[in-house]
Amino acid sequence: DGGFFVAMTFADGADVPYGNTANILFDMKVFNEMGLFFEPSMRFTGGTDTLLGMQIKKNGGRMVWASEARVRELVPASRTTAKWLISRKFREGNTFVLSEKLSGSSLQRQAYLFASGLARVVGGALLSVVSLVRGRAKRVQAISRMARGLGMLNAFAGRRYDEYKKIHGS
């Protein structure tokens, strides 16, 4: 009901804002020419694909959407709970800010992200109250918004959320 597993899509050939290694094809010469690698310090936080995408763009590269590419992703039952969905948004906020900082984002961009994190916390809290009468899916969406903002602020405090220390599924 909440659309939590609906994948983003773009027009065929459209620029993609950042990577998602669930289904991505890299030309290795891009890695070699730009000196890119998956950031080892983020092995448990996730977000290395986002960081790579940011670095590619900052180095003048681009990523494009291929509408005909297909991927099948199995979601373990342990990743379909409200608790996991909310913690995932916390992790996404945390790793997005970590990626921005590691990719050399400006102080102006970081100030914007800090304000965005605060706005998500406040907005999510307000929506949580409204969602009490709108059903569980809306409540999880509202709390997820707040969690993403808290994850962003957590990154600014210098903390990482190591979601991938736990293995889900088999």
Side-chain angles (χ1 to χ4, degrees):
D1 291 341
F4 300 108
F5 298 101
V6 176
M8 278 194 310
T9 60
F10 301 91
D12 193 49
D15 283 343
V16 178
Y18 40 83
N20 177 340
T21 54
N23 188 23
I24 195 165
L25 178 65
F26 280 112
D27 184 339
M28 284 307 295
K29 71 180 181 185
V30 171
F31 274 72
N32 296 333
E33 289 172 4
M34 293 184 183
L36 300 177
F37 54 89
F38 284 99
E39 176 59 50
S41 70
M42 295 177 74
R43 67 186 173 278
F44 295 123
T45 64
T48 56
D49 47 1
T50 300
L51 175 58
L52 274 173
M54 289 176 180
Q55 291 171 325
I56 287 168
K57 285 189 166 277
K58 287 185 180 195
N59 281 299
R62 62 188 288 246
M63 296 174 297
V64 296
W65 186 261
S67 295
E68 297 301 315
R70 297 289 176 244
V71 64
R72 181 175 169 195
E73 184 176 10
L74 300 175
V75 179
S78 61
R79 289 186 172 188
T80 61
T81 65
K83 179 181 176 183
W84 187 86
L85 291 166
I86 292 164
S87 69
R88 175 65 165 210
K89 289 299 178 186
F90 181 90
R91 200 255 330 147
E92 287 176 358
N94 186 256
T95 58
F96 188 78
V97 168
L98 289 173
S99 296
E100 285 277 357
K101 291 172 83 174
L102 286 169
S103 70
S105 65
S106 68
L107 288 177
Q108 181 180 3
R109 172 75 175 152
Q110 290 184 45
Y112 169 81
L113 291 171
F114 186 84
S116 177
L118 285 175
R120 286 171 192 269
V121 171
V122 172
L126 294 172
L127 287 172
S128 294
V129 174
V130 173
S131 71
L132 290 172
V133 295
R134 297 189 66 211
R136 185 166 188 216
K138 293 294 183 191
R139 249 187 333 274
V140 173
Q141 286 174 335
I143 295 168
S144 292
R145 176 185 293 245
M146 187 170 39
R148 184 174 174 99
L150 288 170
M152 293 169 77
L153 299 177
N154 193 57
F156 280 110
R159 293 190 293 269
R160 296 169 182 250
Y161 178 63
D162 292 332
E163 177 181 318
Y164 291 114
K165 280 190 173 178
K166 179 178 181 179
I167 306 292
H168 291 267
S170 58

